[in-house]
Amino acid sequence: MTVITVNAPKGRLGPEHRRELAETLTDAVLVPEVGQFAPAARAGFQVHFVEREPDMMAIGGRLLTDAGPDPDVMVIDVAVMDGDWRQEVRTQVVERVLAAMADACGLAEPSPAWWVNFRVIDEGSWGAGGGVLSLLPLLDSGVFTEEKAAAVRSALGA
């Protein structure tokens, strides 16, 4: 289970941007998480788009409305269940998220004011469907590669 929240100034991302990002941000995290492209795993991902008025965001100590010529500011928060999140996997996710954002926005590279937070929710701290969830029962679902399933088991001490 993964939740990706994109915080952007109101009007920065239109419906077509959001439609594309719903898929590409999901896949940006999904592939490193399970070790392969697995469309069946998409059901465990949510992407939320939050728009904020420019006077409700600031950078460099100044509201966006006062910061000069339209600074391109966004914060993308990625919250994942505990698993195989070694530094190289986290780096891959952050880079893939930023690349997906740039592609959807028609830019050659991400804005330096697009920031990604990557958060791992501890085992036993993710709830849904009336209970606490774990990644462990999903490892034999067929979406994880054998190598990734073994890495997750090792990371979780299972």
Side-chain angles (χ1 to χ4, degrees), residues 81-82 121-127 131-136 156:
M81 293 177 76
D82 204 357
I121 307 303
D122 291 338
E123 177 71 10
S125 299
W126 196 291
V132 175
L133 301 181
S134 171
L135 203 56
L136 292 172
L156 296 180

Side-chain angles (χ1 to χ4, degrees), residues 11-75:
R12 174 62 176 93
L13 300 173
E16 289 306 314
H17 293 114
R18 294 190 302 270
R19 190 169 284 112
E20 179 179 344
L21 287 166
E23 184 174 306
T24 60
L25 289 175
T26 293
D27 293 343
V29 182
L30 182 152
V31 172
E33 182 172 14
V34 303
Q36 64 184 345
F37 177 65
R42 285 179 172 162
F45 287 71
Q46 292 186 20
V47 180
H48 297 230
F49 298 96
V50 179
E51 291 190 317
R52 301 188 189 283
E53 293 292 338
D55 66 346
M56 298 298 285
M57 297 179 77
I59 188 163
R62 301 187 66 169
L63 292 175
L64 294 187
T65 52
D66 303 331
D70 301 322
D72 195 4
V73 174
M74 287 193 258
V75 175

Side-chain angles (χ1 to χ4, degrees), residues 57-125:
M57 297 179 77
I59 188 163
R62 301 187 66 169
L63 292 175
L64 294 187
T65 52
D66 303 331
D70 301 322
D72 195 4
V73 174
M74 287 193 258
V75 175
I76 302 97
D77 183 71
V78 179
V80 298
M81 293 177 76
D82 204 357
D84 175 35
W85 296 113
R86 293 165 286 139
Q87 185 58 55
E88 63 262 26
V89 179
R90 292 172 189 232
T91 298
Q92 185 181 21
V93 168
V94 169
E95 290 172 351
R96 289 171 59 93
V97 164
L98 289 168
M101 294 296 299
D103 287 347
C105 293
L107 299 174
E109 59 185 50
S111 165
W114 295 354
W115 298 346
V116 178
N117 295 323
F118 186 93
R119 297 183 298 121
V120 177
I121 307 303
D122 291 338
E123 177 71 10
S125 299

